[in-house]
Amino acid sequence: SERPAPVATLPRAMASVGPWRRISDLGVGHLPPEEARKTRALNQFTVIAILSVTSYGLILVGLGPEYRYGVVVDFVAAALHLGTLWLTSRGKADWAVPWVLLLTNGQLYLVTTWAGPTVGYHYYFIAFATVPFLIVPRRSRWLLGSSLVSIGLFLYFAFGMDAQAAQVEFLNFHAGLFRIVSALATCLTLALIAFIFDRDATSAEAELAKAHERSEKLLLNILPGSISERLKRGEQSIADGLAEVTVLFADIVGFTQLSQRMPPEELVAALNEVFSAFDDLALKHGLEKIKTIGDCYMAASGLPEPRDDHA
């Protein structure tokens, strides 16, 4: 069976993967699959948010000192987003999720109120409306209501806010450029969210396929293939009558004395060699292996499918 890696080797193992993977796995640890997936998505969205607001802040720095309000809001938001990663790394994803939802909507509300709807900041609310479904765990479904907040804020800034109410005036060229960048960045964010969701779904499907394959192999080790198929088709109680079968019982002569003289590992290796050869013979001749107990091997011929030459 697989054992978890010793604690001393974890830093070395983490160093062997890239920074994106290390950040994505912050706080994941031994969480259940659903919580691990959503915590990983939370970390990834946080990185995307930090890069996004930092980029906008740097653009505003280049436009001049009259845009310092937006610069401060963006850079402060980027710093506060680091708090999300700090919380998840300490196993506090329950606090990190509402924190990041409040922070993203709050930061965008402040800069859109300041800049007005002409620059297109409010397009991001469309992306933020989808984020909760990616990061909110099942037990905190009430947080999905933040999607309605994001949609409401988008509608307000798109159709309700007067452009004249903005606290700063952008040149037409700059406003048009920001609007294009905001639209493209919103589409890119939605594409990234869809990519993360699709990748997680594909990974989950692969894990399910592996688990199904393992269960199939286990079932075939316990039951004949034809019986296994009948159980999977829904038969609850299987009791077939067979007029003639041959059952083989075989054990090793003098095994008790032999086991007293041989070390346990050598004894198990010898049994494995013998029983593996019996398994090969059973497969070759169409027998059904029933079970092994100690040094005893039990197999049968003529079941579950009758055959005339069973003996």
Side-chain angles (χ1 to χ4, degrees):
S1 62
E2 296 182 1
R3 297 180 179 179
V7 174
T9 67
L10 288 178
R12 190 180 306 168
M14 289 294 286
S16 65
V17 299
W20 175 255
R21 176 70 179 274
R22 292 201 297 272
I23 295 174
S24 298
D25 288 341
L26 285 175
V28 171
H30 300 290
L31 291 175
E34 190 243 0
E35 292 187 30
R37 174 170 55 83
K38 297 207 168 184
T39 299
R40 194 175 287 110
L42 170 62
N43 292 331
Q44 293 167 348
F45 172 73
T46 300
V47 173
I48 293 171
I50 291 172
L51 294 175
S52 177
V53 296
T54 302
S55 299
Y56 273 104
L58 291 173
I59 293 173
L60 291 174
V61 167
L63 292 181
E66 63 269 29
Y67 301 103
R68 58 181 173 271
Y69 176 86
V71 174
V72 171
V73 171
D74 285 341
F75 285 168
V76 169
L80 292 177
H81 271 299
L82 293 173
T84 305
L85 300 178
W86 182 85
L87 287 170
T88 57
S89 68
R90 280 153 181 77
K92 300 183 183 297
D94 286 345
W95 295 6
V97 171
W99 170 253
V100 77
L101 293 176
L102 177 64
L103 182 57
T104 50
N105 282 300
Q107 179 266 340
L108 193 56
Y109 172 82
L110 291 176
V111 294
T112 309
T113 302
W114 165 73
T118 57
V119 295
Y121 278 138
H122 58 290
Y123 296 156
Y124 270 102
F125 283 117
I126 300 173
F128 293 164
T130 66
V131 168
F133 296 94
L134 195 67
I135 67 174
V136 171
R138 193 173 304 172
R139 64 177 178 277
S140 303
R141 285 180 175 174
W142 62 274
L143 289 171
L144 295 177
S146 65
S147 291
L148 297 177
V149 174
S150 297
I151 293 171
L153 289 172
F154 168 76
L155 294 175
Y156 166 70
F157 287 115
F159 304 106
M161 182 182 180
D162 186 353
Q164 302 300 321
Q167 301 172 27
V168 66
E169 184 176 354
F170 281 79
L171 296 176
N172 288 336
F173 173 76
H174 290 158
L177 181 63
F178 265 93
R179 191 159 54 249
I180 293 172
V181 171
S182 296
L184 292 174
T186 300
C187 292
L188 178 61
T189 302
L190 288 171
L192 284 171
I193 290 172
F195 170 77
I196 292 170
F197 179 82
D198 178 70
R199 187 193 56 188
D200 288 341
T202 302
S203 176
E205 288 171 354
E207 289 298 321
L208 280 174
K210 288 181 182 178
H212 179 72
E213 184 180 357
R214 287 194 295 267
S215 66
E216 286 291 305
K217 288 181 179 178
L218 180 61
L219 194 58
L220 290 175
N221 279 333
I222 299 171
L223 298 171
S226 60
I227 302 298
S228 171
E229 289 298 323
R230 289 168 64 181
L231 284 173
K232 288 189 288 185
R233 288 198 298 266
E235 292 190 47
Q236 298 296 319
S237 181
I238 298 176
D240 294 338
L242 296 166
E244 292 186 358
V245 298
T246 299
V247 181
L248 167 72
F249 294 93
D251 64 0
I252 298 175
V253 176
F255 180 77
T256 302
Q257 293 77 12
L258 185 66
S259 64
Q260 293 172 350
R261 298 195 306 268
M262 295 179 68
E265 59 273 12
E266 291 184 16
L267 187 66
V268 171
L271 285 175
N272 183 62
E273 183 178 358
V274 173
F275 287 164
S276 293
F278 271 49
D279 287 344
D280 291 340
L281 287 167
L283 182 63
K284 178 181 177 181
H285 296 290
L287 277 68
E288 284 291 342
K289 174 183 174 181
I290 306 300
K291 61 181 177 180
T292 61
I293 302 176
D295 67 320
C296 178
Y297 191 97
M298 181 180 176
S301 180
L303 61 81
E305 302 300 330
R307 53 188 296 179
D308 295 333
D309 62 341
H310 54 83

